Amino acid sequence: MTHRIVVLGAGYAGAFAAGNLARRLSPVDTEITVVNAEPDFVERMRLHQFAIGQDVTVRKLADVFAGTGVRLRLARVTGVDPDRRTVAVTGGDGDGRLAYDTLLYALGSSVAHHGVPGVAEYAFDVTGRSSALRLRERMDGLGQGGTVLVVGEGLTGIETATEFAESRPDLSVALAARGELGAWLCPKARRHLRQAFDRLGVTVHEHTCIEAVEPARAIAADGTSIPADVTVWSAGFAVHPLAVASGLEVAETGQIVVDRTMRSVSHPDVYAAGDSAYAIGENGRPLPMSCASAGYTNMQATAAIIARLTGREAPTTGLKYHGNHISLGRRDAIFQMVDGDAQAKSWYLGGRTAARLKSGVLKGAGWGIVHPTFGMPKRRRRLATAPDRAGVKVAA
């Protein structure tokens, strides 16, 4: 019997994982299906560039998986039943239900509103292609002298503010930070960051908590009004409530609690990768939601799935967070390495060299998506045993 593997989501984690599974498992007794709501692969790390009007290559998932044996189902996931091992979907083909023997949950994350009034109605974000497109259209219509406020001092906020300021010097760009800008960087990198903000003319409002967003301004906790024709909300990420509703064991964040091999602690047929996984790194702390974490977790999940299906002991791959790479426009960047406790090391790389390195990382990730089964061996592994499908209902 064919073992059915269903991968939910075709972002950095899901797309890489599907290709890896197809590369290493025999199609004779495995069937891999990827479910994704959009027809294109979304380079999330480039969405702030897309939002400000830059050209970003669009990669059709149908082309990405062509010839790999991976089946693509363009649909939105509406429910997961881990007890019956089925996934409910809706899309152009109507409503349906997919049965699985092994599920890899990699639906990623979206912007976290934190319950702040006005964010959902008036703010923009760059966590998805549709939201980035909405922001792009708004920026295209913003004339000279317009004001842009980026809320959030994390990687996304910094990259968005600097990219917008460099690409549109006719605008007034500001960033609202809850604490000190770049407080998590080493002192030299922090100075480099501030110099970049000064060079690009980005105004920084430190120790500023935004408590409301209105059509043309944002209101801080102390009552200060900050002009903003456009407010870009980048104050953290949140996972889809689907996992909570499914009955899978989740953390307070809504992420699926997994063991060291990315296997759900409550349902052994389910694995999670990327932002959806509540995975503990080698330093004993949860991995942050990031592209790097997507890489670590999808490699661990696929290695464990392949090993268990082929009768081998599940290996463990490294879950050590090495650092952050931050674009500061197209010609500047910061690479900040961290130690085992996730604290910034004294050494960092900045400037054009770091920008070229960051560009290489982005190109490498994109190339890997386009070639999901690169290096496919001539002989792929057969399954050790037939799947147990007791109680599983066949897909409609």
Side-chain angles (χ1 to χ4, degrees), residues 314-381:
T316 55
T317 60
L319 295 178
K320 183 178 181 181
Y321 201 77
H322 297 284
N324 299 308
H325 42 82
I326 316 162
S327 293
L328 304 173
R330 295 295 81 221
R331 296 177 293 276
D332 193 6
I334 290 174
F335 260 74
Q336 175 66 73
M337 308 304 290
V338 300
D339 59 23
D341 294 322
Q343 299 299 310
K345 293 183 178 180
S346 60
W347 178 88
Y348 88 103
L349 180 66
R352 288 182 179 270
T353 300
R356 286 193 289 268
L357 185 57
K358 174 65 181 288
S359 178
V361 170
L362 293 175
K363 289 179 180 178
W367 189 93
I369 291 295
V370 175
H371 303 84
T373 54
F374 176 73
M376 182 183 289
K378 293 182 179 179
R379 294 185 62 187
R380 285 174 279 176
R381 296 176 181 174

Side-chain angles (χ1 to χ4, degrees), residues 253-273:
T253 58
Q255 295 167 290
I256 298 172
V257 179
V258 295
D259 64 15
R260 183 59 179 77
T261 65
M262 301 302 117
R263 195 179 203 177
S264 165
V265 297
S266 61
H267 294 79
D269 299 315
V270 178
Y271 293 76

Side-chain angles (χ1 to χ4, degrees), residues 49-134:
Q49 300 172 17
F50 174 77
I52 199 58
Q54 296 180 20
D55 292 330
V56 176
T57 302
V58 175
R59 297 176 172 89
K60 295 291 184 183
L61 289 173
D63 296 335
V64 167
F65 293 121
T68 66
V70 175
R71 301 182 179 190
L72 176 63
R73 178 73 178 266
L74 293 178
R76 181 171 58 88
V77 180
T78 58
V80 175
D81 187 336
D83 295 323
R84 296 187 177 184
R85 290 185 284 184
T86 60
V87 176
V89 299
T90 185
D93 297 332
D95 297 341
R97 190 170 291 274
L98 299 175
Y100 66 83
D101 299 301
T102 296
L103 180 71
L104 178 56
Y105 189 111
L107 289 178
S109 62
S110 59
V111 67
H113 294 167
H114 300 300
V116 175
V119 172
E121 295 84 0
Y122 306 118
F124 298 80
D125 68 83
V126 291
T127 58
R129 183 173 175 81
S130 59
S131 59
L133 178 60
R134 174 173 166 262

Side-chain angles (χ1 to χ4, degrees), residues 138-316:
R138 178 69 180 95
M139 295 301 295
D140 286 344
L142 192 59
Q144 183 175 359
T147 55
V148 178
L149 175 66
V150 179
V151 180
E153 69 274 26
L155 305 185
T156 302
I158 291 173
E159 292 195 334
T160 301
T162 52
E163 197 80 45
F164 279 28
E166 182 179 85
S167 299
R168 292 288 304 273
D170 59 312
L171 302 177
S172 175
V173 180
L175 182 142
R178 291 178 63 92
E180 178 185 354
L181 179 67
W184 38 275
L185 297 169
C186 71
K188 291 181 179 180
R190 199 177 311 147
R191 286 195 296 271
H192 186 116
L193 177 62
R194 289 186 175 277
Q195 289 169 0
F197 269 61
D198 291 341
R199 170 173 53 81
L200 295 169
V202 179
T203 301
V204 182
H205 301 279
E206 293 185 310
H207 307 290
T208 301
C209 179
I210 301 300
E211 292 200 341
V213 176
E214 297 180 358
R217 66 174 183 168
I219 309 298
D222 62 0
T224 302
S225 175
I226 303 176
D229 295 315
V230 175
T231 297
V232 183
W233 194 262
S234 58
F237 306 114
V239 297
H240 196 284
L242 192 66
V244 176
S246 70
L248 293 163
E249 183 171 336
V250 300
E252 291 183 1
T253 58
Q255 295 167 290
I256 298 172
V257 179
V258 295
D259 64 15
R260 183 59 179 77
T261 65
M262 301 302 117
R263 195 179 203 177
S264 165
V265 297
S266 61
H267 294 79
D269 299 315
V270 178
Y271 293 76
D275 291 352
S276 303
Y278 186 78
I280 305 301
E282 294 177 8
N283 60 6
R285 303 177 183 180
L287 289 176
M289 295 186 188
S290 69
C291 182
S293 297
Y296 304 145
T297 55
N298 98 70
M299 287 189 291
Q300 175 61 82
T302 53
I305 290 171
I306 292 164
R308 287 178 173 133
L309 292 184
T310 56
R312 295 168 172 81
E313 183 178 353
T316 55

